[in-house]
């Protein structure tokens, strides 16, 4: 990551978005601004979301995936994203 640019942290709550999460992540990793960390909070998805997320985590050093053991509801997962923002700037994205 480029330390000349302020760190931007993007947090993404995810639940069962296997059909759209790749497009979201591809958009984020292809940004020209490079000092970005992407944190994805999977809310115990029952589809193939977690498999896709882990593939991206393996491929990109700036992606971190966290998986809830149980579904904590949309609001709970959204709050978890907010609590884990870091850096100078933060943003919340949706995986769909």
């Amino acid at each position: 990551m480029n330390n000349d640019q302020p760190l931007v942290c993007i947090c993404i709550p995810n639940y069962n978005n296997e059909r759209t999460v790749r497009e979201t992540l591809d958009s984020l990793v292809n940004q020209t601004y490079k000092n970005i960390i992407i944190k994805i909070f999977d809310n115990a998805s029952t589809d193939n979301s977690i498999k896709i997320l882990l593939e991206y985590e393996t491929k990109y050093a700036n992606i971190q995936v966290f998986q809830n053991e149980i579904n904590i509801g949309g609001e709970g997962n959204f709050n978890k994203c907010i609590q884990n923002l870091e850096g100078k700037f933060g943003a919340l994205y949706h995986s769909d």
Side-chain angles (χ1 to χ4, degrees):
M1 289 185 225
N2 184 346
N3 291 332
D4 295 336
Q5 299 176 319
L7 178 63
V8 173
C9 181
I10 299 171
C11 286
I12 304 171
N14 180 72
Y15 178 71
N16 285 350
N17 287 306
E18 70 180 355
R19 294 185 339 194
T20 57
V21 72
R22 285 184 195 278
E23 185 175 356
T24 299
L25 293 176
D26 287 343
S27 173
L28 293 173
V29 299
N30 288 311
Q31 296 296 310
T32 56
Y33 192 91
K34 295 301 178 190
N35 198 14
I36 297 174
I37 185 169
I38 302 166
K39 296 181 177 185
I40 307 151
F41 294 86
D42 183 74
N43 201 13
S45 290
T46 57
D47 66 358
N48 287 316
S49 293
I50 194 65
K51 179 181 176 192
I52 295 166
L53 298 175
L54 294 174
E55 288 173 12
Y56 275 81
E57 182 181 44
T58 299
K59 186 174 180 180
Y60 297 97
N62 65 329
I63 293 181
Q64 298 173 356
V65 176
F66 305 91
Q67 186 178 30
N68 299 330
E69 290 184 24
I70 61 167
N71 187 313
I72 60 174
E75 183 178 331
N77 204 37
F78 189 79
N79 286 335
K80 201 171 198 180
C81 286
I82 293 170
Q83 292 166 355
N84 284 279
L85 287 169
E86 62 179 280
K88 181 148 177 115
F89 301 102
L92 296 172
Y93 278 64
H94 292 279
S95 54
D96 61 354

